[in-house]
Amino acid sequence: MLSFNVFTILAAAVACVAAFPAGTPTVGNSLGTRTFLTGTTHTIVVGRANSLIFDPENVVAEIGDTIEWHFQAKNHSLAQSDFAHPCQPLADGTGFFAGFNFVTEEGQNPNVYQITIIDNKPIWYYCPQTNGNHCQKGMLGAINQDFSSENVLSKQKVIAAGTGVSIVPPVIQGGRVGGFQRANPNPLSGF
Ligand SMILES: [Cu+2]
């Protein structure tokens, strides 16, 4: 019985040392370099003043930034495409789609849709509302388009105009829905 107790005490002492090792002086900095994210939120108005536009339709964002869409009147949405195939979701089934849960008759829907920028690649997206052919009429947007390439939004709109009917993605995915944190200071002119 006595030996068991001694063993138990020793075990506890070893565990204690392991949990609280003796302090060692800090020499240099062994932490890896890291990027401190800016955390900027870029706000985009969807369907500003009953128009078929994302405002602004072009956004330049840093990695770690948030893109936040606010939905004004009518029933709009947004879905990710690639440059060459506007008005249809990414072929591999990935990409974001906000769904059609933001319909509002006036003002703006109390919910917003957000994504986080995780790399510097251009992001292309469109409104998949087929009632009125929003995408074909130019309701597209770009994030971090490369203006040194030929693949720019103005050119994509030309492609979009000839796509016929938009494809609505089958699954809502890829972003976050939440109530907006700040009021729109001017609903008619963006944020
Ligand atoms: Cu739309």
Side-chain angles (χ1 to χ4, degrees), residues 97-164:
F97 172 44
F100 284 105
N101 300 314
F102 301 92
V103 61
T104 186
E105 290 303 317
E106 60 182 23
Q108 72 167 303
N109 190 281
N111 284 330
V112 298
Y113 185 74
Q114 293 182 337
I115 65 167
T116 301
I117 301 302
I118 59 171
D119 59 38
N120 292 317
K121 296 175 187 170
I123 295 172
W124 307 96
Y125 67 94
Y126 65 101
C127 176
Q129 177 58 264
T130 57
N131 184 0
N133 295 324
H134 291 194
C135 184
Q136 289 72 24
K137 290 178 180 172
M139 194 166 184
L140 304 100
I143 301 163
N144 292 335
Q145 59 181 310
D146 180 2
F147 286 102
S148 68
S149 80
E150 294 185 350
N151 295 352
V152 292
L153 184 59
S154 56
K155 184 176 175 184
Q156 194 196 34
K157 286 185 177 184
V158 175
I159 302 172
T163 56

Side-chain angles (χ1 to χ4, degrees), residues 11 19 35 77 91 118 134 138 173:
T35 301
S77 185
I118 59 171
H134 291 194
Q173 63 183 14

Side-chain angles (χ1 to χ4, degrees), residues 20-100:
F20 303 100
T24 52
T26 300
V27 178
N29 180 1
S30 63
L31 294 174
T33 56
R34 55 173 294 197
T35 301
F36 288 90
L37 306 175
T38 63
T40 298
T41 296
H42 304 266
T43 303
I44 300 172
V45 181
V46 182
R48 176 175 63 81
N50 285 325
S51 63
L52 298 182
I53 62 168
F54 295 101
D55 183 21
E57 61 186 12
N58 174 62
V59 168
V60 177
E62 303 284 339
I63 294 172
D65 285 0
T66 296
I67 311 297
E68 181 175 286
W69 285 272
H70 292 234
F71 296 80
Q72 292 200 330
K74 307 301 181 189
N75 192 0
H76 301 290
S77 185
L78 52 103
Q80 188 174 1
S81 72
D82 62 30
F83 174 81
H85 305 90
C87 312
Q88 62 181 279
L90 295 178
D92 63 0
T94 64
F96 54 79
F97 172 44
F100 284 105

